[in-house]
Amino acid sequence: MTGGKAMGTSGPTQGPGRTAGNQGPKLTPAQGAQQAEQRLGKPCYHAGQQVPGVYSCITCQFRINNRGTLPGCPDCGEIIWAYMGDGPRPVPEGETAPAAEAAAPPPPAEETVAIEEPVQEPVKVEEGIKLEP
Ligand SMILES: [Zn+2]
């Protein structure tokens, strides 16, 4: 096989813009994670959330063992990750209950009242309770 001459110009295959398949309105990372979760049936998170565990990029299946904050996919740039671990879905740091206490500013102290409640001891659970009428 004899190769011919160089064939014309072989330009880079990079397109002018990022036209990744995502259509429709832009989603926030949280919404994107939600959609991915519904689609994949796995807990999904986005870059910036602090969730430990093994995650798989929802676009290229790149796997990471995350410890701190989720990064963007080092392979394709995706920011949504699917949780691959077993067990219950991990709860990201700082995203516990809907009632976010951290977001609420401390109320102005009108009066200086020091209330010190004694620490309650944990209630002992008695074992072997019989359910008798
Ligand atoms: Zn990826």
Side-chain angles (χ1 to χ4, degrees):
M1 291 250 203
T2 52
K5 293 173 185 174
M7 291 170 52
T9 54
S10 59
T13 48
Q14 289 174 354
R18 285 187 185 178
T19 45
N22 288 340
Q23 295 175 349
K26 280 191 176 181
L27 300 174
T28 66
Q31 287 172 327
Q34 253 183 10
Q35 280 201 352
E37 179 163 343
Q38 288 172 0
R39 209 169 57 221
L40 302 173
K42 292 177 181 297
C44 290
Y45 300 91
H46 58 83
Q49 289 187 290
Q50 272 192 51
V51 276
V54 176
Y55 295 86
S56 174
C57 169
I58 64 165
T59 298
C60 74
Q61 278 74 51
F62 189 92
R63 282 210 176 199
I64 60 168
N65 190 352
N66 187 54
R67 286 187 181 180
T69 305
L70 280 172
C73 176
D75 205 36
C76 73
E78 176 62 74
I79 61 167
I80 311 294
W81 298 91
Y83 179 57
M84 290 288 121
D86 297 322
R89 63 180 298 147
V91 177
E93 283 272 328
E95 294 186 23
T96 47
E101 298 174 23
E110 296 178 0
E111 299 176 22
T112 312
V113 181
I115 301 175
E116 287 192 13
E117 292 187 43
V119 178
Q120 288 185 353
E121 294 182 8
V123 179
K124 271 193 178 181
V125 178
E126 292 184 27
E127 293 180 3
I129 295 176
K130 290 178 184 175
L131 293 174
E132 288 183 83

